Amino acid sequence: MSSGRYAVGIDFGTESGRATLVALEDGRELGTATYEYSHGVIDERLPYDDVELEPDWALQDPEDYLRTFQEAVPRLLAETGVDPADVIGVGIDFTACTMLPTLADGTPLCVLDELRAEPHAWVKLWKHHAAQPEADRINAVAAARGEPWLARYGGRYSSEWFFSKALQILDEAPDVYARADRMLEAADWVVWQLTGDETRNSCTAGYKALWSKREGFPGDGFFAALDPRFEHVVDEKMSRLVVPIGDRAGVLAERSAAWTGLPSGTPVAVANVDAHVSAPAATVTEPGAMVIIMGTSNCHILLGDSEQEVEGMCGVVEDGVVPGEFGYEAGQSGVGDIFAWFVETCGGDHAGLEREAATLRPGQSGLLALDWWNGNRSVLVDADLRGLLVGMTGATTAPEIYRTLIEATAFGTRVIVESFERAGVPVDRIVACGGLPGRNRLLMQIYADVTGRELAIAGSSQTPALGSAMFGAVAAGAGSGGYDSIVDASRRMAHLRPETYRPTAAHRDVYDRLYAEYVRLHDLFGRGGDDVMHTLKRIQRETRR
Amino acid sequence: MSSGRYAVGIDFGTESGRATLVALEDGRELGTATYEYSHGVIDERLPYDDVELEPDWALQDPEDYLRTFQEAVPRLLAETGVDPADVIGVGIDFTACTMLPTLADGTPLCVLDELRAEPHAWVKLWKHHAAQPEADRINAVAAARGEPWLARYGGRYSSEWFFSKALQILDEAPDVYARADRMLEAADWVVWQLTGDETRNSCTAGYKALWSKREGFPGDGFFAALDPRFEHVVDEKMSRLVVPIGDRAGVLAERSAAWTGLPSGTPVAVANVDAHVSAPAATVTEPGAMVIIMGTSNCHILLGDSEQEVEGMCGVVEDGVVPGEFGYEAGQSGVGDIFAWFVETCGGDHAGLEREAATLRPGQSGLLALDWWNGNRSVLVDADLRGLLVGMTGATTAPEIYRTLIEATAFGTRVIVESFERAGVPVDRIVACGGLPGRNRLLMQIYADVTGRELAIAGSSQTPALGSAMFGAVAAGAGSGGYDSIVDASRRMAHLRPETYRPTAAHRDVYDRLYAEYVRLHDLFGRGGDDVMHTLKRIQRETRR
């Protein structure tokens, strides 16, 4: 590899897309350009024709993704002043499952005049939560049939995932379903727009669409049991050809070269998911290594050398994160979200609360929380669970509550780490990345104290874009100045911060005792011992009617 | 009774004493004068000699009570312009158990030069909570000996009560104990200062000092079992002569006539307690009637015609509230306190929060709380219980939490009402008084909806002072222009507001369902099913060392 070569990584987030230029030599980030989606998250009404959406819907406009190519990449090139000819690869990552129906040529159904007023023709964003009845049906049918793949998903298929959303289209808009020649992840769709060739990546196929390298998709009989019209969904709307991440999807076509200002023929990597692509960007490429992407929620990506059944994880996919390894995913649905809720609801500001919370000793507040403001994604896999705070007195202060909420999310991570280890998937080292670790020292120290582990932090503050650029470099290959594998790319381009967080010996005992209380309440309220959270939700739903 | 006659009621509160002039004819309040105690609550250091106090201590200066006579009463007379000769009786009420050690002539030990630097020589205020070890000993010894009186106190003697505090003096300051010729309620002490004669009232003796009309005090053997030096505490430091409330304690002596500007010889009623004296002032004089004094905490006073064992009540005392009836007391240790905590901790203001909370429907928030910020006084009698809030999501708002806290205290009251009824003490009507009912319509409506009962509100906003004046009128007697019984006085002088709060039919079902959840969590966390609250408190104590 010669110096002066670059790759572009493009990270498609929930509110914006951001393109980053990365030096292949050492992973240096030369610049980033962001495009704020003009329609953002569409969750109240469609941009056209004043069509109102039901609760729990969340859509996007696929044109916003194209505008990210058209606006962010040229701006990135202009601002960094790099010769486009020195950009040898492009990679993208996306939120997932974010999916859409298209014509055979990739035209999104929602751009057709006759369908633009039809909500089901649009992109269903990852946090579209209206397909719960379909998820319930998938779980019931899978359990009844004893589908073996269910264990790979912690025993529960999510309403956020591909077949829940696809089945909702069939249930509620059979015409849209019939009209769709293809249904695919937006991640794969944007790569298709870049290269002109349709590909399906192993990461989203594995984590969101029940595909596995060894067994492929579930059998048609399973889909037929969901709905006879759904029997051939894979062959009719999808593809059995799934390409491992790390492969090349194709090269920039003339059209996308014109959008971006990059040379046509530039290699483009197979699509990836924002969380999963962060692993190699955070140096996590070997079995036993875990990356925790910490932001509004936590996502845990762990590599293993074998497939094990782990209670309530999100999924395990061979080749899902690093080719040749088993990538395990778990998550906590509320982390930064909960801290933000507290600040919004109870005033104050994060910096002030953190400063005061940092002066407290563990256990001193007498408080404990269950961090289920957004439900529990792993290990219980129950979106209807709710938050709990216990131990308040007249002397309880806002910083004490703030610290307790941080501690609760740390306990939640410990539950996940221990679940993996108990199931025979070792967790040897942990790297944190994402928005929170770099700016919240207290949070990191508490996570170290609670888990009893040394925590490293990724050097990059935008690991998804860096990871995507790394996959772009792998798509190019060593022969073209890139790398031949993501492990090679990670070795040179991914870095850790010099400082780590080590457990404070004096805090371990108190946190072990508080954790024992957390686990008992977790099991009591999360495993059906006391059903108050569901009862409250049921009463709430009825009274809102 | 002729018109133009008055009584003075003096209410000794936690921060101030207030004297009110009341017309005997109809209970009209002509004026009130308040004296803010110069030393207030002494809970950090003594006023002299820079003596620091231990945590949980709360003392007062008895001179502040005398200054209330000297400053508030003359000011009241001046401001109302009433001829002192038309004041025919004086009554007082006090916080309880608020007690002090004195010499044989009533001189408080803390005014002696050699003892003023000794914390145990001062008045121990009701909320002095440092005698918990002594209360624990009293409960253990009573249980071991099978003392029959324990059932009259819901099975638990409080650290706030007389013998806990007296025993703490013996334990920690035996010299002070030895020096004390008398130990008595401040209520009785101020009456002593007015009349020159020592009396002991049946209300504090019954509710705080284990006295009963039929059995007297516990036997000396019980006190000896606590400490051999404590064997004769009743005969050595107290008095077996207990005077029923409604009796005359004596008349104003020359000295106190000079303090107050009232004629010497004016009848003075036996002392009373602020909560209990509120009952007749709120029209509550017949069996089956309950008054709830709602403020920072709730106190429930219920009249019955027989003695029943009720789980976890504060006490039942014959002649304790109205002569000839059994007065039951129960309480909730945190009510307005909890709402104030929320406003302090989470910002906002009561009026705004109430306005927004009033727009919500029951059950709509999906939240539920246990109202134990200050522990649970009745039915569980456990000061170490803590608050709990469950059901939070990212959409939970501050007004939703505020409403949930109000609902939790209403559920707490319903538990108490149902406990009485289950034990065979009917609750036929409920009158609210105190600081909250007059200004918090939402709170009153929620209490009506949750309990399913019509709630009346006392006409007076200062029922303790009115009640004390009523007892002053009874001390004078009908022959002198007063009344012969508190029932007679109540009939003429006590009033209800015209408006009442009736249960909203549409809210009953949801509140019944939420109450079922409340009761289950109440029993789970309050009766040992899950001990997290105590464990958190234990950890908290250890980490604070």
Side-chain angles (χ1 to χ4, degrees):
Chain A
M1 197 208 84
S2 67
S3 67
R5 294 290 177 88
Y6 307 96
V8 169
I10 307 169
D11 169 42
F12 290 88
T14 300
E15 299 287 352
S16 64
R18 56 169 53 201
T20 298
L21 187 78
V22 180
L24 300 187
E25 187 183 31
D26 56 5
R28 206 166 10 104
E29 293 159 17
L30 279 82
T32 291
T34 301
Y35 172 71
E36 302 283 338
Y37 301 150
S38 60
H39 292 133
V41 177
I42 303 167
D43 54 8
E44 295 189 344
R45 53 188 66 249
L46 293 182
Y48 311 107
D49 303 319
D50 202 33
V51 175
E52 203 168 329
L53 299 177
E54 300 278 315
D56 291 335
W57 277 64
L59 306 179
Q60 285 193 325
D61 179 358
E63 303 277 353
D64 272 333
Y65 311 146
L66 300 185
R67 285 190 281 266
T68 300
F69 291 137
Q70 293 156 359
E71 301 205 6
V73 179
R75 186 147 37 87
L76 174 70
L77 293 172
E79 285 172 8
T80 55
V82 158
D83 181 351
D86 287 335
V87 176
I88 64 158
V90 174
I92 73 99
D93 64 271
F94 223 101
T95 63
C97 163
T98 294
M99 59 83 78
L100 71 164
T102 73
L103 298 178
D105 66 358
T107 305
L109 296 192
C110 64
V111 307
L112 305 178
D113 281 348
E114 68 274 25
L115 284 178
R116 72 176 196 176
E118 167 52 67
H120 278 295
W122 292 71
V123 176
K124 288 189 167 59
L125 185 60
W126 65 274
K127 65 176 175 178
H128 173 90
H129 285 128
Q132 188 62 54
E134 287 74 18
D136 293 344
R137 205 152 99 226
I138 289 170
N139 283 306
V141 168
R145 294 170 55 92
E147 294 285 343
W149 46 260
L150 199 55
R152 289 204 308 274
Y153 300 90
R156 193 84 61 99
Y157 192 76
S158 166
S159 70
E160 290 184 3
W161 295 349
F162 190 84
F163 290 116
S164 301
K165 285 169 169 159
L167 191 54
Q168 192 197 5
I169 298 176
L170 175 60
D171 279 350
E172 299 179 4
D175 291 351
V176 173
Y177 184 82
R179 187 71 187 278
D181 299 314
R182 321 300 288 153
M183 300 206 305
L184 75 170
E185 288 280 345
D188 290 328
W189 183 80
V190 297
V191 168
W192 187 357
Q193 301 311 301
L194 289 180
T195 63
D197 302 316
E198 182 186 356
T199 56
R200 309 266 173 159
N201 75 84
S202 62
C203 183
T204 54
Y207 288 104
K208 313 298 177 186
L210 297 175
W211 173 87
S212 92
K213 185 178 178 179
R214 297 175 195 215
E215 298 168 17
F217 290 98
D220 288 351
F222 166 72
F223 293 111
L226 292 171
D227 190 309
R229 298 167 296 172
F230 211 53
E231 178 173 5
H232 301 294
V233 59
V234 174
D235 292 311
E236 287 173 1
K237 314 285 185 188
M238 303 169 63
S239 167
R240 294 196 187 272
L241 183 67
V242 174
V243 185
I245 47 116
D247 270 21
R248 182 191 289 196
V251 297
L252 284 186
E254 293 293 340
R255 185 179 67 155
S256 58
W259 291 343
T260 57
L262 293 170
S264 65
T266 305
V268 177
V270 160
N272 220 312
V273 178
D274 48 8
H276 305 69
V277 79
S278 295
T283 78
V284 165
T285 57
E286 83 284 8
M290 171 183 270
V291 62
I292 312 181
I293 302 101
M294 302 174 72
T296 54
S297 60
N298 274 358
C299 181
H300 309 71
I301 304 287
L302 171 64
L303 299 178
D305 54 17
S306 65
E307 185 177 304
Q308 304 293 340
E309 285 186 24
V310 187
E311 183 190 10
M313 69 179 151
C314 303
V316 51
V317 176
E318 192 175 356
D319 294 353
V321 177
V322 170
E325 293 174 26
F326 290 84
Y328 290 85
E329 180 187 347
Q332 292 172 269
S333 16
V335 180
D337 257 3
I338 302 179
F339 315 147
W341 169 84
F342 183 73
V343 168
E344 265 170 49
T345 310
C346 288
D349 65 288
H350 286 288
L353 287 165
E354 187 194 346
R355 194 168 50 244
E356 292 186 58
T359 66
L360 302 168
R361 289 192 301 284
Q364 187 186 344
S365 68
L367 298 174
L368 184 67
L370 292 177
D371 51 318
W372 299 342
W373 267 246
N374 298 345
N376 176 293
R377 189 173 296 159
S378 312
V379 169
L380 302 168
V381 201
D382 186 343
D384 291 342
L385 292 174
R386 301 297 185 90
L388 181 143
L389 183 63
V390 60
M392 292 79 84
T393 71
T396 297
T397 65
E400 286 178 338
I401 298 175
Y402 189 79
R403 183 181 177 113
T404 302
L405 297 176
I406 295 175
E407 290 169 344
T409 69
F411 292 140
T413 279
R414 181 166 166 184
V415 167
I416 288 169
V417 168
E418 293 189 356
S419 290
F420 277 120
E421 298 224 298
R422 215 169 20 242
V425 189
V427 180
D428 300 326
R429 70 182 181 99
I430 300 179
V431 181
C433 68
L436 288 181
R439 60 172 191 259
N440 198 326
R441 297 183 60 82
L442 174 65
L443 173 116
M444 292 306 298
Q445 189 57 55
I446 288 174
Y447 270 59
D449 289 350
V450 163
T451 60
R453 287 160 184 273
E454 182 174 358
L455 299 183
I457 302 183
S460 172
S461 61
Q462 40 187 346
T463 48
L466 171 60
S468 288
M470 287 163 55
F471 276 103
V474 175
S480 309
Y483 295 97
D484 278 341
S485 75
I486 192 64
V487 177
D488 287 350
S490 178
R491 205 166 285 142
R492 294 290 295 272
M493 295 174 69
H495 305 285
L496 297 176
R497 292 196 182 195
E499 78 278 12
T500 64
Y501 289 86
R502 294 165 189 272
T504 313
H507 293 174
R508 288 307 309 284
D509 173 61
V510 169
Y511 275 135
D512 280 350
R513 290 164 68 194
L514 290 172
Y515 178 66
E517 299 298 309
Y518 177 92
V519 168
R520 200 186 59 258
L521 294 184
H522 171 283
D523 290 350
L524 174 68
F525 291 106
R527 299 187 192 276
D530 190 292
D531 210 34
V532 64
M533 294 176 186
H534 292 114
T535 305
L536 289 173
K537 170 147 194 171
R538 202 160 46 239
I539 293 172
Q540 181 181 39
R541 279 185 177 154
E542 292 172 20
T543 55
R544 280 190 169 169
R545 259 177 219 148
Chain B
M1 195 209 86
S2 66
S3 68
R5 294 289 177 88
Y6 307 96
V8 170
I10 307 168
D11 169 42
F12 289 88
T14 300
E15 299 286 352
S16 64
R18 55 170 53 200
T20 297
L21 187 77
V22 180
L24 300 188
E25 185 182 32
D26 56 4
R28 208 165 9 104
E29 293 160 18
L30 280 80
T32 291
T34 301
Y35 172 70
E36 301 285 337
Y37 302 150
S38 59
H39 291 134
V41 177
I42 303 167
D43 53 9
E44 295 189 346
R45 54 188 65 250
L46 292 182
Y48 312 107
D49 303 320
D50 202 35
V51 176
E52 202 168 328
L53 299 177
E54 300 278 315
D56 291 334
W57 276 64
L59 306 178
Q60 286 192 324
D61 179 359
E63 303 277 355
D64 272 332
Y65 311 145
L66 300 185
R67 285 189 283 263
T68 299
F69 291 135
Q70 294 156 358
E71 302 206 5
V73 180
R75 186 146 37 86
L76 173 70
L77 293 173
E79 286 172 7
T80 55
V82 158
D83 181 352
D86 288 334
V87 175
I88 64 157
V90 174
I92 73 101
D93 64 271
F94 223 102
T95 62
C97 165
T98 294
M99 59 84 77
L100 72 164
T102 73
L103 298 178
D105 65 359
T107 305
L109 295 191
C110 63
V111 307
L112 305 177
D113 279 349
E114 67 274 27
L115 284 179
R116 70 175 199 179
E118 167 53 67
H120 277 294
W122 292 71
V123 176
K124 288 190 167 61
L125 185 60
W126 64 275
K127 65 177 175 176
H128 173 91
H129 285 128
Q132 189 62 54
E134 286 75 17
D136 293 344
R137 206 153 99 227
I138 288 170
N139 283 306
V141 168
R145 293 171 53 93
E147 294 285 344
W149 46 260
L150 198 55
R152 288 204 309 273
Y153 301 90
R156 194 85 60 99
Y157 192 77
S158 165
S159 71
E160 289 183 4
W161 295 349
F162 190 85
F163 290 116
S164 300
K165 285 168 169 161
L167 192 54
Q168 192 196 5
I169 298 177
L170 176 61
D171 278 350
E172 299 178 5
D175 291 351
V176 173
Y177 184 83
R179 187 72 187 278
D181 298 313
R182 320 300 289 152
M183 300 207 303
L184 77 169
E185 288 280 342
D188 291 326
W189 183 80
V190 297
V191 168
W192 188 356
Q193 301 311 300
L194 289 180
T195 63
D197 301 315
E198 181 186 355
T199 56
R200 309 265 174 162
N201 75 85
S202 61
C203 183
T204 55
Y207 288 104
K208 312 298 177 188
L210 297 176
W211 172 86
S212 92
K213 184 178 178 180
R214 299 176 193 216
E215 298 169 17
F217 289 98
D220 287 352
F222 165 71
F223 293 112
L226 293 171
D227 189 309
R229 298 167 296 171
F230 210 53
E231 180 174 5
H232 300 294
V233 60
V234 174
D235 292 310
E236 288 173 1
K237 314 285 185 189
M238 301 168 64
S239 168
R240 295 196 186 272
L241 183 66
V242 173
V243 184
I245 46 114
D247 271 21
R248 181 191 288 196
V251 297
L252 284 187
E254 293 293 341
R255 184 179 67 154
S256 58
W259 290 343
T260 57
L262 293 170
S264 65
T266 305
V268 177
V270 160
N272 220 312
V273 178
D274 47 8
H276 305 69
V277 80
S278 295
T283 78
V284 165
T285 56
E286 84 282 9
M290 171 183 272
V291 62
I292 312 182
I293 301 102
M294 302 174 72
T296 56
S297 61
N298 273 0
C299 181
H300 309 70
I301 304 287
L302 171 64
L303 298 179
D305 54 17
S306 65
E307 185 177 303
Q308 304 294 340
E309 285 186 24
V310 187
E311 183 190 10
M313 70 180 150
C314 302
V316 51
V317 176
E318 192 176 356
D319 294 352
V321 177
V322 169
E325 294 174 25
F326 290 85
Y328 290 85
E329 180 186 347
Q332 291 172 268
S333 13
V335 181
D337 257 4
I338 302 180
F339 315 147
W341 169 85
F342 183 72
V343 168
E344 266 170 47
T345 310
C346 288
D349 64 288
H350 287 287
L353 286 165
E354 187 194 346
R355 195 166 50 243
E356 293 187 56
T359 68
L360 301 168
R361 288 191 300 283
Q364 188 186 344
S365 69
L367 297 174
L368 184 68
L370 292 177
D371 51 319
W372 299 341
W373 267 246
N374 298 348
N376 176 293
R377 189 173 296 159
S378 311
V379 167
L380 301 167
V381 201
D382 186 343
D384 291 341
L385 292 174
R386 300 298 185 89
L388 181 143
L389 182 64
V390 61
M392 290 80 83
T393 73
T396 298
T397 66
E400 287 178 337
I401 299 175
Y402 189 77
R403 183 181 177 111
T404 302
L405 297 176
I406 294 175
E407 290 170 343
T409 68
F411 292 140
T413 280
R414 181 166 166 184
V415 167
I416 288 169
V417 168
E418 292 189 355
S419 291
F420 277 119
E421 297 227 296
R422 216 171 18 243
V425 188
V427 180
D428 299 326
R429 69 181 183 101
I430 301 179
V431 180
C433 68
L436 289 181
R439 60 172 192 258
N440 198 326
R441 297 184 59 82
L442 174 65
L443 173 116
M444 290 307 298
Q445 189 58 54
I446 289 174
Y447 271 59
D449 289 350
V450 164
T451 60
R453 288 159 183 272
E454 182 175 359
L455 300 182
I457 302 183
S460 171
S461 61
Q462 41 186 346
T463 47
L466 171 60
S468 287
M470 288 163 55
F471 275 102
V474 175
S480 310
Y483 295 96
D484 277 340
S485 75
I486 191 65
V487 176
D488 288 349
S490 177
R491 205 167 286 142
R492 293 292 295 271
M493 296 174 69
H495 306 283
L496 297 177
R497 293 197 182 195
E499 79 278 13
T500 64
Y501 289 86
R502 293 165 188 273
T504 312
H507 293 174
R508 287 305 311 282
D509 174 61
V510 169
Y511 275 135
D512 280 349
R513 291 164 68 194
L514 290 172
Y515 179 65
E517 299 299 308
Y518 177 92
V519 168
R520 200 186 58 256
L521 294 183
H522 170 282
D523 290 351
L524 175 67
F525 291 105
R527 299 187 191 276
D530 191 292
D531 209 34
V532 64
M533 294 177 186
H534 292 114
T535 305
L536 290 173
K537 171 147 192 173
R538 202 160 46 240
I539 293 172
Q540 181 182 39
R541 278 185 178 153
E542 291 173 20
T543 54
R544 281 189 170 168
R545 261 176 216 150

